[in-house]
Amino acid sequence: MSAIKAAITAVQGYVPKDTLTNQDLEKIVDTTDEWIKSRTGIEKRHILKGEGLGTSDMAAEAVKLLLAKRGIDATEIDLLICATVTPDHVFPATANIISAKIGAVNAWSYDLGAACSGFIFALVTGSQFIETGKYKKVVVVGADKMSSIVDYTDRTTCVIFGDGAGAVLLEPTTEGVGVMDSILKTDGNGKVYLHQKAGGSVRPASHETVDNKEHFVFQDGQPVFKAAVVGMADVSAEIMERNHLSSDDVAWLVPHQANLRIIDATARRMGVGNDKVMINIQRYGNTTSGTIPLCLWEWEKQLRKGDNLVLAAFGGGFTWGAVYVKWAYDSQ
Ligand code: UT7
């Protein structure tokens, strides 16, 4: 019998109903639809509106729908991991709040922060628990309310990000499918190019930090772009090589949706044609931890058992990586 692997047995996304189009942004900052589309690929993004609503609200919706789809009760979940950089609060963990909202009373839960690589880091972490044989049902949810940390007077960042959540259920399998391999990397020297300056222990919130708009995303786009192109492409090519996957063997590239040009560069390096790349950045923008599960959710019906997927991401930290997943089921 082959070793226990973690199979993705269900996937679900959730995006809030309100949208912010490029045309809307043209009225707020000095930008154009043409600039945004040609430099990023984005046409619109979804924004969570409503007093008192946060990341956990989107994540809880995604997880509730996920469980209904799989036909299981929240009480059956053993562990819930939430990848996010926009937690509801500094503490408690957003994962704790999601679990309470959905009634996952038998689960323990925690957050994982790895910026735009958060979902793949959490997926690999969750898989390890399944592979021990001790855990039967692990939920991994990636969710971010990026609109809560975006400065809508800064044209260099506000055009990029959107809000959304996506979740997968992991269950054990011995059928030779599931999370097969991963390459995960970090380099904290990348902090200077992409971070939130205040609100942490180094620079706690104060009148001054608020006045200076230091609670928003700071990004120096060019160096991040360059590092992302190299980082995402390198690990994607490496994971193919060490698993003896040719470009024909790869059914789908599932890339983090930060910039269409970064996605294209990764696909080119892998030798994978555009018809095998999941791209929905035009509709959602960069939802940080939500991008990859939102792609899986939207393409679910096209996925077949045994399909080879390469999930790839790059984000603040720097964090980056690639995960090789053999899809575990045919969707009805
Ligand atoms: O997901 C987490 C990781 N993040 C990423 O992977 C993002 C990586 N970076 C990028 O995707 C790109 O660097 C951006 C989309 C952020 C920016 O695109 P770019 O092609 O690198 O533009 P740039 O920063 O080099 O700016 C080019 C010009 C500048 O004007 P000048 O100096 O040439 O006159 C900017 O001021 O474009 C200007 N610009 C804009 N113009 C219209 C910057 N933002 C805008 C805007 N609309 N929204």
Side-chain angles (χ1 to χ4, degrees), residues 25-77:
L25 285 164
E26 282 177 346
K27 294 176 197 140
I28 304 173
V29 287
D30 179 17
T31 192
T32 60
D33 173 49
E34 204 282 325
W35 190 97
I36 303 170
K37 273 201 297 223
S38 63
R39 299 288 181 123
T40 70
I42 302 167
E43 292 169 22
K44 66 171 185 175
R45 52 305 278 143
H46 288 250
I47 302 293
L48 181 64
K49 289 188 177 164
E51 194 63 31
L53 295 180
T55 295
S56 71
D57 295 287
M58 295 186 293
E61 281 309 311
V63 178
K64 271 192 254 173
L65 293 166
L66 177 85
L67 301 181
K69 204 173 187 179
R70 182 79 180 99
I72 63 167
D73 194 79
T75 55
E76 294 177 54
I77 303 172

Side-chain angles (χ1 to χ4, degrees), residues 31 35 39 116 155 219 221-222 224 256 258-259 261-262 286:
T31 192
W35 190 97
R39 299 288 181 123
C116 295
R155 70 175 183 173
Q219 177 170 258
Q222 282 281 349
V224 180
H256 169 55
N259 188 314
R261 292 179 290 148
I262 299 172
N286 181 351

